[in-house]
Amino acid sequence: MSALRWGCGAAGLRWALWPAGRPGLLAEEGALRGIWGRRRSSASPCEQDHRKDWGHAELLEVLETRARQLQADYVSEVAEKRVDMARLPEAGSDQPPRKAQAGAEAALGLSGRWAQKLDKEKRVMQKRKQQLEVKLQQRAEQRAQKQQLRVEPRLLSGQLAARLQQWRLHAPGSPWEEQLAWLLQEAPRRLHSKEQGPMDSMRGEGQQQRLLAFLQCCVLVDQVALAHHVLVMQHGRARQQRRLTLPMYNAVLLGWARKGSFKELVYVFFMLKDAGFSPDLLSYAAALQCMGRLDQDASTIQRCLKQMAQNGLHPQEFFRSVVLCKETQAAVLSAVRKADPTFSLPQPPLPSSQVNTSPLLRDIYDKDCPVSYPRQHLSLKTLKSLFQEQLRMEMATTVTVASVEKAPSLTTELMQARKTLQGLRVRWEAELCRVLRETKAREAHAAHEGRPSLFPYLCLLSEGEFSGLLLQLAVSRLPRQHWEALGVPEAPYEQPWPLPVVVQLGKQLAEVLVQTVKMPGHLAERQGSCKLIPVLYHVYSFRSFRQIGILKPHPAFVQLLATAAECTMTFEAAEVPMLCPPLPWTSPHSGAFLLSPTKLMRSMEGTTQHQRLLEACPPTELHGALDTLTQLGNCAWRVNGRVLDLVLKLFTAKGCPRLGVPAPPSEAPRPPQGRLPQGASPEHKAALRRELARCLKVAREMHSLRTDALYRLSLAQHLRHRVFWLPHNMDFRGRTYPCPPHFNHLGSDLARALLEFAEGRPLGPHGLDWLKVHLVNLTGLKKRESLQARLAFADEVMKDILDSADWPLTGGKWWMEADEPWQALACCMEIAQAVRAHDPAAHVSHFPVHQDGSCNGLQHYAALGRDSVGAASVNLVPSDLPQDVYSGVAMQVEMFRRQDAKQGVQVAQVLEGFISRKVVKQTVMTVVYGVTRYGGRLQIEKRLRELSDFPQEFVWEASHYLVRQVFNSLQEMFSGTRAIQRWLAESARLIAHTGSAVEWVTPLGIPVIQPYHQDAKVLINGGIQSLTFSNSGDTSQKGLTFVSVHDCFWTHAADVPIMNQVCREQFVRLHSQPILHDLSRFLVERFCSGPKSKKARVTRLLDMLLSVPKTGAFNLEQVKRSTYFFS
């Protein structure tokens, strides 16, 4: 609009300066008057004043013309005679009559007064027009000056400013090399009055992060001049200069150095000195790089190197301590060797001789007894091919997968819907490109005014790429050690953009999408017009009493998508399993995918304390975690095609919720049809509302489950004939997880049944027995029986096992009654193949066998407290039969219930016959993870509601009663455990009261910090919405194929005995360490030392931390002989 107004203003100025007698004036004048009349309401006050002046000029010219007309009407004859008589004396003619002469003089006098007045007004207007023209010219020059990028800085130091001006104007030739030498020489004299320190507020730190990211992004997209301009504008204001940091100046220095712009580089050094900073290695690297590109004389480079030496810096550090790209290193090396031809590159550092000192990992990193690490089963040629394929996939950033939904018939309606969608997408792409160009121009204007904007971020991709994104919406050493020994240069760690920048950029792109993507109105209503309507609309909703904004698609567009029934889906490359082994984890930010950035420790967006802890941790302390994650990710997988075929058969029909195959939305319950009858009672209305809410809730849950299954099954079909890998990382507690979220072994029973090891192992002499025991475990039928009894049961039902394997959907369907039906079916198929093989021991099995901990959380607590009673309850003590802690708690609760029922407690009487293992299991399992009585009550309530014959009116009272009795039972059975829990909880509460987040270090050396904290709110205004946002044991030494699902360990059937031995040995080694005393000592050093140590709260905390709970007399060595510790 501003450009349009300036154009109109220029047209008006041209009109005002036209000569009075220009032909066609009146016609053009009328046209221009019409234009100004139509635009007057949108003009600025200043423009309205200008137009008023032009209107006065127009009026004067009209009046002048009218005076001439009057003169012509009244005295045309007299004037002519007067002219003639004036000529007569020369020709000898007579004088005219006096009366006519008098009339002519009167008329001329009248016209003369008009003419004088008009001339006077005209001179005034001409003067005003000249003044207006000067003002407009000055304004245009100011605007052009604003658009022009500033190069020369405005220095706050008068001495520096004068020095710069003197050298720029008066020094002969090109003085910039001398200036640089002078700046480097004087730079160490830092201006102490402007010492830079940490920002007092998070807001200032956030502004620093945004500005640094803006400058770095400008350099990245070759907008160095713009970055320099913004830096100059920020530097020239004293208040804003205080927020500038040395990395900001270095970013622009490196940009100019890459372009070989020496003069601009010196300007930045002037600003750097003006701000009171001394050049660091990156600053000198920029100067030397620029001189190397320009082939400067050796004397200038020598002066630079001499000043470096005086500052305690050495050229070898460019190639050892600073991360520079190869091109930059070559330019720096060229400059250094020009000044010192004898300079040689430092030798690459040898792999660190330091090793992890944890006593738990001593055998792993013992140099005298190297570990046997499992090799990949693929040849080098195959691995190279797989790496190339994975690289291409990550370069493409997305993967297109065919959907496994049943393909609809190609009806006319479907074809028309797909054609409409295609046309809309073509139109949207063109419109998005246009709007993105306008947005980029607007953000560029903001950057030209000296404000960091989104412009460089919008330049990272072309408009077409942005629109596309918007519309989609084996070895004797450990792999990490081998990788480090190869000398592979680690990719420079790229700091992520500040969260405010990410949110602001996303918000801007979302607004572009909402405002641009539209569809014809007739798609929403049959009688609708062809007027375009938005596809997305912005609404508000409430989540936990907070109002949040949501972008929702138009229902007509949702219907169009459903009708078109497109048969492909697009996933991000990092959401799909890898086609090659993951990169070894070598640091907190290097590992897993080839290109896609992955965090070692996953955390909420905007939180940085976990990453800071990891980067501050000595590298050797993280080797245990890094190598564990690498080991887990190196397990190769393949899809169990036989199970997948059966699941797809059910999925494309109507699903089978009983077996975990979600039904399609068409099977969702329908709300009651018809209108509410007149005079309906309030109870009837309330019941109808409840039914409507129930139907809606069930429909949403079915849609969510169906979509989750669709993703998983489509990826399984896509990878059906491939070998793939699942890279791992961990959460803040050190729990490991696969990075691909949709298809992995941490999912449901169905998800686990779809996977098997890509590398097979012969069953050996005992592998078939372990397959049988595993199958019985999956059925859940013999939990309290011995392994021998479970094996005998498997032999008894062998007929059912074989029938399930051969006729899974049409036979006896024995497998469907198991607790984990799909895994049970997969195991039946594996057993059938093994027993029918000529030699079962030689049968190569790919099937993973599980060994599950017996309430592993309570096992660790019982070992920590040496609690003999608790240890016996969770199978830490050898026994002939497995102990089931859940059944034990249920029996204890039942005993309490009987006592209360005899005393007449109604709820205890109602619960008779309903207290079972299933009712209390979840609460017992999660109590070690800090579940409260409130959370436990909700868990028990859910189990009671699943009992069809339990009186629902007693659910609330019964859940309260049961959670109280469960906690009482645990107190009696695990007294030592509960004492440790109370000590930990109270210590954490007191630490929080001191204003700190709880931190500790795990026995493997992983630093942990609790992510529970108050959010710092940041507000981004404007647009469609203002946004507020919140800124364990190792088995690799045995050469096993091994993966874990928390406390459930998987391996080949032949290797189960070895894995069991390792698990028990590592558990005993772990708890032989003084874990509680080490934790107490760490917490005291971390939170009870320093200037705060004398405060009352810290004193109470110190007393609590020093009162470590006493332990019992349980002998840990018994765990090694316990058959059912893991089984």
Side-chain angles (χ1 to χ4, degrees):
M1 289 301 296
S2 60
L4 180 61
R5 287 196 292 267
W6 273 98
C8 294
L13 180 60
R14 288 198 304 271
W15 175 84
L17 297 178
W18 280 345
R22 175 168 177 166
L25 173 64
L26 294 179
E28 296 182 16
E29 171 187 324
L32 286 169
R33 186 183 301 115
I35 292 175
W36 290 123
R38 286 194 299 270
R39 288 193 49 80
R40 185 167 298 151
S41 61
S42 64
S44 65
C46 183
E47 290 171 355
Q48 291 178 4
D49 292 340
H50 301 161
R51 294 169 191 172
K52 189 183 297 181
D53 294 339
W54 295 329
H56 289 167
E58 177 187 353
L59 177 60
L60 287 174
E61 292 197 6
V62 170
L63 292 174
E64 185 178 1
T65 303
R66 181 58 177 163
R68 290 172 181 170
Q69 289 175 347
L70 290 173
Q71 181 180 0
D73 290 341
Y74 288 104
V75 294
S76 58
E77 289 287 340
V78 175
E80 289 176 5
K81 289 180 180 179
R82 179 175 177 273
V83 172
D84 291 340
M85 289 177 63
R87 296 173 182 174
L88 278 176
E90 300 175 2
S93 303
D94 295 336
Q95 294 290 335
R98 181 170 297 274
K99 184 177 181 180
Q101 184 177 1
E105 289 176 356
L108 287 172
L110 178 63
S111 63
R113 288 195 299 272
W114 271 100
Q116 291 175 1
K117 185 174 183 179
L118 289 174
D119 288 341
K120 182 179 179 180
E121 290 289 337
K122 192 171 182 178
R123 287 193 299 271
V124 172
M125 292 307 302
Q126 286 288 349
K127 186 175 181 180
R128 294 186 64 180
K129 284 190 289 186
Q130 291 174 358
Q131 294 174 349
L132 176 62
E133 184 178 1
V134 172
K135 288 182 179 180
L136 290 176
Q137 186 176 0
Q138 291 175 348
R139 188 170 299 177
E141 291 175 354
Q142 291 174 357
R143 191 175 185 88
Q145 187 176 5
K146 284 185 178 180
Q147 294 294 330
Q148 185 179 3
L149 298 178
R150 293 187 58 179
V151 178
E152 186 172 343
R154 177 177 175 268
L155 303 177
L156 301 184
S157 168
Q159 180 183 1
L160 276 176
R163 182 74 177 245
L164 174 61
Q165 192 72 5
Q166 176 185 1
W167 282 68
R168 191 175 66 85
L169 296 178
H170 304 295
S174 177
W176 304 108
E177 294 82 359
E178 298 180 15
Q179 289 193 42
L180 177 61
W182 177 78
L183 288 169
L184 292 175
Q185 181 180 0
E186 298 295 323
R189 294 193 342 217
R190 181 167 179 159
L191 304 177
H192 296 285
S193 60
K194 297 181 181 179
E195 287 278 349
Q196 296 289 324
M199 297 303 298
D200 296 332
S201 67
M202 185 174 295
R203 180 180 178 183
E205 185 178 354
Q207 291 174 344
Q208 285 182 328
Q209 293 175 349
R210 288 196 293 273
L211 179 56
L212 177 59
F214 170 84
L215 297 174
Q216 291 173 337
C217 194
C218 281
V219 173
L220 182 64
V221 298
D222 200 25
Q223 293 284 342
V224 186
L226 181 61
H228 183 95
H229 169 77
V230 173
L231 184 65
V232 168
M233 299 290 284
Q234 297 282 329
H235 180 91
R237 303 163 186 162
R239 182 178 179 182
Q240 294 180 357
Q241 187 192 107
R242 288 194 293 270
R243 291 178 177 166
L244 299 180
T245 61
L246 182 56
M248 298 178 189
Y249 294 98
N250 284 342
V252 182
L253 282 172
L254 290 170
W256 286 128
R258 193 174 295 120
K259 297 175 75 72
S261 302
F262 199 86
K263 178 179 177 181
E264 289 78 4
L265 182 107
V266 174
Y267 279 144
V268 180
F269 271 107
F270 265 103
M271 290 188 288
L272 189 146
K273 175 175 172 55
D274 189 46
F277 291 112
S278 295
D280 63 358
L281 271 175
L282 273 179
S283 311
Y284 282 106
L288 290 170
Q289 178 190 175
C290 189
M291 289 187 281
R293 292 182 186 275
L294 297 177
D295 196 23
Q296 291 280 1
D297 59 278
S299 60
T300 304
I301 301 174
Q302 288 171 350
R303 280 185 286 182
C304 181
L305 293 176
K306 181 180 179 181
Q307 188 60 46
M308 273 187 61
Q310 292 178 3
N311 292 347
L313 303 175
H314 305 283
Q316 287 81 3
E317 297 181 50
F318 289 135
F319 311 95
R320 207 164 40 204
S321 305
V322 180
V323 179
L324 300 174
C325 66
K326 289 184 178 180
E327 185 183 3
T328 301
Q329 282 189 347
V332 173
L333 182 60
S334 172
V336 174
R337 283 183 171 169
K338 189 168 187 179
D340 182 10
T342 63
F343 177 81
S344 59
L345 288 173
Q347 293 296 323
L350 296 174
S352 176
S353 59
Q354 297 180 347
V355 296
N356 189 290
T357 58
S358 171
L360 299 175
L361 304 175
R362 186 177 296 117
D363 293 343
I364 303 296
Y365 300 112
D366 188 354
K367 294 183 179 182
D368 298 329
C369 301
V371 299
S372 174
Y373 198 84
R375 297 172 178 266
Q376 293 289 344
H377 63 285
L378 302 171
S379 66
L380 181 60
K381 181 179 179 181
T382 303
L383 281 174
K384 287 182 178 180
S385 175
L386 294 176
F387 269 93
Q388 290 294 332
E389 194 169 356
Q390 175 69 24
L391 184 61
R392 285 193 295 269
M393 186 176 77
E394 293 192 41
M395 290 284 286
T397 71
T398 59
V399 180
T400 301
V401 175
S403 173
V404 297
E405 281 280 21
K406 184 178 180 180
S409 55
L410 296 178
T411 62
T412 304
E413 184 182 13
L414 181 143
M415 298 302 294
Q416 181 61 35
R418 290 184 178 178
K419 182 178 179 181
T420 302
L421 267 179
Q422 182 63 26
L424 286 174
R425 285 167 177 157
V426 171
R427 183 191 307 170
W428 292 343
E429 186 172 359
E431 189 66 13
L432 280 171
C433 289
R434 182 188 64 82
V435 176
L436 283 168
R437 283 193 293 269
E438 295 176 355
T439 303
K440 191 182 295 186
R442 186 167 60 251
E443 295 297 324
H445 177 71
H448 278 68
E449 293 181 348
R451 294 181 282 116
S453 70
L454 297 177
F455 174 70
Y457 306 101
L458 294 174
C459 293
L460 287 168
L461 300 175
S462 66
E463 289 83 3
E465 290 170 322
F466 264 122
S467 63
L469 286 176
L470 292 175
L471 292 176
Q472 292 176 4
L473 290 187
V475 293
S476 61
R477 290 178 290 191
L478 298 169
R480 172 191 50 78
Q481 296 171 331
H482 187 65
W483 192 266
E484 293 171 346
L486 289 175
V488 179
E490 183 174 324
Y493 175 53
E494 298 180 358
Q495 289 288 345
W497 292 346
L499 188 60
V501 171
V502 176
V503 174
Q504 188 176 4
L505 180 59
K507 174 175 172 289
Q508 181 70 58
L509 295 176
E511 291 175 0
V512 167
L513 196 63
V514 171
Q515 296 167 6
T516 305
V517 177
K518 299 181 180 181
M519 66 182 184
H522 65 78
L523 293 177
E525 298 180 12
R526 292 187 177 182
Q527 304 300 325
S529 66
C530 292
K531 182 179 179 181
L532 297 178
I533 60 175
V535 171
L536 300 171
Y537 56 97
H538 180 234
V539 298
Y540 286 96
S541 180
F542 285 91
R543 295 291 187 273
S544 301
F545 305 100
R546 291 190 304 167
Q547 189 179 24
I548 62 172
I550 300 175
L551 294 181
K552 297 187 68 173
H554 197 288
F557 181 69
V558 176
Q559 184 60 42
L560 179 64
L561 287 175
T563 305
E566 295 180 306
C567 55
T568 59
M569 295 178 292
T570 302
F571 295 91
E572 296 290 332
E575 296 176 345
V576 181
M578 294 184 67
L579 302 179
C580 70
L583 294 181
W585 281 102
T586 57
S587 70
H589 46 75
S590 179
F593 293 97
L594 306 185
L595 298 178
S596 305
T598 308
K599 291 182 178 180
L600 175 69
M601 184 174 287
R602 54 179 66 187
S603 58
M604 294 178 59
E605 282 298 330
T607 58
T608 60
Q609 62 267 45
H610 302 95
Q611 193 68 23
R612 291 176 181 173
L613 272 181
L614 291 173
E615 291 176 356
C617 186
T620 55
E621 298 300 317
L622 292 178
H623 285 173
L626 299 176
D627 295 334
T628 298
L629 292 172
T630 300
Q631 155 72 357
L632 293 174
N634 270 345
C635 177
W637 298 90
R638 73 179 190 183
V639 174
N640 189 328
R642 295 170 297 174
V643 175
L644 178 60
D645 288 336
L646 294 170
V647 177
L648 290 178
K649 188 174 182 179
L650 293 176
F651 184 82
T652 54
K654 292 188 177 182
C656 184
R658 184 170 71 92
L659 294 176
V661 183
S666 59
E667 300 299 310
R670 303 293 178 184
Q673 301 296 323
R675 295 185 177 181
L676 190 67
Q678 293 183 353
S681 65
E683 293 79 7
H684 182 58
K685 293 180 180 179
L688 183 60
R689 282 195 297 268
R690 286 194 297 270
E691 180 63 17
L692 287 173
R694 186 192 70 82
C695 291
L696 179 61
K697 180 175 180 292
V698 172
R700 288 174 173 171
E701 290 175 349
M702 289 179 63
H703 173 74
S704 176
L705 292 172
R706 181 77 176 184
T707 303
D708 178 65
L710 177 63
Y711 289 173
R712 179 177 293 112
L713 295 177
S714 298
L715 285 170
Q717 181 70 5
H718 178 71
L719 297 167
R720 184 186 191 100
H721 303 295
R722 302 298 304 265
V723 176
F724 55 90
W725 287 260
L726 299 171
H728 281 60
N729 62 1
M730 59 186 175
D731 67 4
F732 77 96
R733 302 165 296 183
R735 277 197 160 194
T736 62
Y737 296 86
C739 298
H742 304 300
F743 187 44
N744 57 58
H745 61 290
L746 255 67
S748 61
D749 165 56
L750 173 58
R752 298 183 185 190
L754 291 172
L755 290 169
E756 59 185 12
F757 295 134
E759 183 181 8
R761 297 283 294 274
L763 285 177
H766 304 293
L768 181 57
D769 291 344
W770 279 110
L771 282 175
K772 295 176 181 179
V773 170
H774 178 56
L775 174 60
V776 177
N777 290 343
L778 292 170
T779 64
L781 298 175
K782 299 292 179 179
K783 291 182 179 291
R784 303 294 299 272
E785 302 291 337
S786 66
L787 294 181
Q788 292 74 18
R790 299 180 201 181
L791 187 57
F793 176 76
D795 292 331
E796 291 175 11
V797 297
M798 183 58 66
K799 183 178 179 180
D800 293 327
I801 293 173
L802 298 178
D803 176 77
S804 297
D806 296 336
W807 312 101
L809 299 181
T810 58
K813 303 178 184 179
W814 173 83
W815 64 276
M816 292 187 182
E817 305 301 322
D819 285 354
E820 310 287 349
W822 288 107
Q823 293 179 82
L825 175 60
C827 194
C828 288
M829 293 177 174
E830 189 70 21
I831 292 174
Q833 286 187 336
V835 298
R836 290 168 177 168
H838 175 71
D839 181 8
H843 171 70
V844 177
S845 173
H846 297 260
F847 190 83
V849 174
H850 310 170
Q851 292 290 279
D852 202 348
S854 178
C855 196
N856 191 237
L858 282 174
Q859 286 180 327
H860 281 288
Y861 266 117
L864 277 173
R866 304 296 194 272
D867 187 346
S868 299
V869 176
S873 300
V874 290
N875 294 300
L876 297 187
V877 178
S879 62
D880 296 331
L881 294 175
Q883 304 299 309
D884 183 13
V885 64
Y886 309 116
S887 299
V889 173
M891 292 172 58
Q892 186 76 19
V893 172
E894 173 63 16
M895 185 181 69
F896 291 154
R897 185 205 64 79
R898 290 175 183 173
Q899 295 173 359
D900 292 340
K902 290 180 181 179
Q903 297 177 4
V905 178
Q906 183 185 15
V907 67
Q909 296 170 349
V910 171
L911 280 167
E912 184 177 359
F914 293 104
I915 298 176
S916 65
R917 179 183 188 274
K918 185 176 181 180
V919 170
V920 303
K921 178 180 178 180
Q922 187 179 12
T923 305
V924 175
M925 185 188 306
T926 56
V927 72
V928 297
Y929 303 114
V931 71
T932 62
R933 296 202 178 204
Y934 175 78
R937 190 200 68 77
L938 294 178
Q939 295 168 345
I940 293 174
E941 178 185 346
K942 187 175 181 180
R943 300 285 84 81
L944 292 176
R945 292 196 182 278
E946 294 173 353
L947 303 176
S948 58
D949 53 344
F950 184 79
Q952 296 299 303
E953 63 271 18
F954 286 97
V955 166
W956 191 86
E957 187 178 359
S959 62
H960 269 284
Y961 175 82
L962 285 179
V963 72
R964 185 168 64 251
Q965 300 303 343
V966 167
F967 273 71
N968 292 337
S969 300
L970 288 172
Q971 178 63 45
E972 288 198 7
M973 297 174 63
F974 295 89
S975 57
T977 293
R978 299 300 286 171
I980 295 173
Q981 273 195 297
R982 286 192 296 270
W983 179 73
L984 292 174
E986 184 64 15
S987 298
R989 187 183 69 84
L990 293 175
I991 290 172
H993 283 183
T994 65
S996 302
V998 182
E999 297 179 37
W1000 69 95
V1001 177
T1002 71
L1004 285 182
I1006 304 172
V1008 178
I1009 183 170
Q1010 287 279 14
Y1012 314 123
H1013 53 82
Q1014 289 185 346
D1015 295 334
K1017 304 297 182 182
V1018 181
L1019 184 67
I1020 294 181
N1021 289 312
I1024 58 177
Q1025 179 185 337
S1026 295
L1027 300 181
T1028 305
F1029 60 93
S1030 308
N1031 209 25
S1032 308
D1034 189 275
T1035 61
S1036 64
Q1037 58 179 330
K1038 300 296 182 180
L1040 302 180
T1041 297
F1042 169 84
V1043 292
S1044 71
V1045 182
H1046 304 321
D1047 61 347
C1048 180
F1049 300 153
W1050 299 13
T1051 192
H1052 288 98
D1055 296 330
V1056 171
I1058 301 176
M1059 187 179 71
N1060 279 337
Q1061 175 189 351
V1062 173
C1063 288
R1064 286 153 177 78
E1065 291 174 352
Q1066 293 299 318
F1067 185 87
V1068 172
R1069 176 177 290 185
L1070 171 65
H1071 287 285
S1072 297
Q1073 307 300 316
I1075 296 177
L1076 292 178
H1077 289 84
D1078 287 347
L1079 176 62
S1080 172
R1081 183 164 52 252
F1082 173 84
L1083 295 177
V1084 168
E1085 293 176 359
R1086 176 67 179 83
F1087 299 107
C1088 300
S1089 59
K1092 298 181 180 180
S1093 58
K1094 295 183 180 180
K1095 292 186 177 181
R1097 289 182 177 179
V1098 178
T1099 302
R1100 290 198 300 270
L1101 172 61
L1102 179 60
D1103 294 340
M1104 174 57 63
L1105 293 178
L1106 294 177
S1107 58
V1108 180
K1110 295 182 179 180
T1111 59
F1114 172 66
N1115 183 9
L1116 281 174
E1117 291 296 322
Q1118 297 183 70
V1119 175
K1120 295 181 180 181
R1121 305 190 303 275
S1122 175
T1123 302
Y1124 303 104
F1125 166 65
F1126 265 70
S1127 63

